[in-house]
Amino acid sequence: RMKSVSIDPQSSVPKYSQLREILLDLIDAELAYDALIPSERELVDRYGLSRMTVRQAINHLVAEGRLYRIAGKGTFVARPKVEMPLRLTSFTEDMLARGQRPGSRDLERRVGAAGGQVAKGLGLSPGDPVHMMVRLRTADEVPMAVERSYIPVLVAPGLDDVTLTDRSLYAILEERFGIELDHGEQTIEAGIVDPDDAVLLELRPGSAVLLVERRAFAEGRPVELTVSAYRGDRYQLHVGLDAPRLPATQSPGPTRSGGDGHG
């Protein structure tokens, strides 16, 4: 199939971008996850490109998480990224809904004094006791995220005696403590992986991660604050966007500058 497509030297699209599109078509149409793609030498010979151009196209796809390299073996098709849910759901529920096997490993469990930022996020006074939990989350045994969660001891006394390994924290809060989460808020930003987290997530130092801070509420009070580092090569965000609709009586027309400053 690849042979029927060629690089257009007259196109304004750079040759490496053309090859990137060809490789994406090949991945989507013919290659399964973990399949080996043609070697750089094969691509050079097939499309009459320089080794540098071929490498640039492959580097782009590796950086995007569509391909991955294994030293001495070649370049392979990566599994598609997992979309981060923009709703209040537990990691366990989310992975099960995707047909993947969720897992978690406790890295740290203790009760400690809430620092300033944690206290602020949970509506506590600094020094109030909170459950502190650090967990490595996996999907089909692949490391996906490091989560640091904080829950007021007052909200869930005895939570430190409950095992969380491979269990949903939200389900435990509901079943054992009668806490039904009714809404949440989440902030997501790009970041560089912490050196310790890089080891846990099997990432190279300096790799990109999604830093996610989430607060969950029950009956209007914050009951959980979680700060997570998600692998940037395994997650993407997908948001539906609605176009603003004009009132039926208003028709779009020329606008004039000025006004009262309200958007």
Side-chain angles (χ1 to χ4, degrees):
R1 180 169 303 198
M2 290 180 66
K3 290 179 181 176
S4 64
V5 182
S6 60
I7 300 292
D8 179 3
Q10 307 301 320
S11 172
S12 61
V13 178
K15 291 179 181 177
Y16 77 86
S17 291
Q18 293 186 55
L19 180 59
R20 174 184 170 280
E21 292 302 316
I22 290 171
L23 290 172
L24 282 174
D25 287 344
L26 178 70
I27 291 168
D28 291 340
E30 297 182 24
L31 296 180
Y33 310 141
D34 301 321
L36 182 67
I37 71 163
S39 69
E40 288 185 6
R41 170 51 56 195
E42 287 179 75
L43 295 171
V44 165
D45 292 344
R46 191 174 295 175
Y47 295 105
L49 298 170
S50 70
R51 178 68 68 97
M52 183 181 296
T53 298
V54 168
R55 188 162 294 168
Q56 192 174 5
I58 292 174
N59 284 346
H60 268 251
L61 291 171
V62 170
E64 292 168 16
R66 298 299 302 266
L67 299 174
Y68 66 93
R69 288 191 176 96
I70 296 180
K73 294 188 176 180
T75 305
F76 300 82
V77 177
R79 290 180 174 272
K81 290 189 178 186
V82 174
E83 286 187 0
M84 182 174 290
L86 296 180
R87 61 187 185 281
L88 191 59
T89 183
S90 74
F91 181 92
T92 301
E93 293 164 342
D94 184 38
M95 288 303 131
L96 288 172
R98 300 175 193 281
Q100 294 182 275
R101 190 171 69 261
S104 70
R105 193 171 93 224
D106 285 357
L107 303 176
E108 183 181 352
R109 291 283 301 278
R110 63 188 174 92
V111 173
Q117 292 302 307
V118 171
K120 182 180 177 183
L122 290 172
L124 303 173
S125 299
D128 283 354
V130 291
H131 298 290
M132 300 179 177
M133 296 156 281
V134 183
R135 296 193 288 170
L136 176 67
R137 310 310 302 267
T138 61
D140 291 339
E141 300 184 6
V142 176
M144 302 294 272
V146 176
E147 288 184 347
R148 292 172 174 84
S149 300
Y150 306 89
I151 294 175
V153 169
L154 198 62
V155 166
L159 178 62
D160 44 323
D161 294 328
V162 180
T163 180
L164 296 179
T165 302
D166 295 337
R167 297 179 70 190
S168 164
L169 176 60
Y170 288 177
I172 290 170
L173 288 177
E174 183 172 349
E175 293 162 9
R176 180 147 181 167
F177 300 99
I179 298 168
E180 294 190 32
L181 303 174
D182 47 38
H183 76 282
E185 57 186 35
Q186 188 162 268
T187 303
I188 303 167
E189 60 184 339
I192 300 299
V193 69
D194 176 87
D196 291 337
D197 289 353
V199 176
L200 294 166
L201 293 172
E202 300 176 4
L203 294 174
R204 294 174 181 267
S207 294
V209 288
L210 291 173
L211 300 175
V212 180
E213 181 174 309
R214 179 169 63 186
R215 289 199 303 165
F217 296 78
E219 297 179 348
R221 66 183 290 197
V223 297
E224 178 222 21
L225 170 67
T226 295
V227 181
S228 306
Y230 283 82
R231 284 177 57 163
D233 64 335
R234 298 299 305 127
Y235 270 86
Q236 65 183 7
L237 301 176
H238 179 82
V239 183
L241 301 176
D242 293 326
R245 299 201 174 277
L246 295 170
T249 56
Q250 183 180 347
S251 61
T255 58
R256 60 184 178 87
S257 60
D260 59 7
H262 292 290

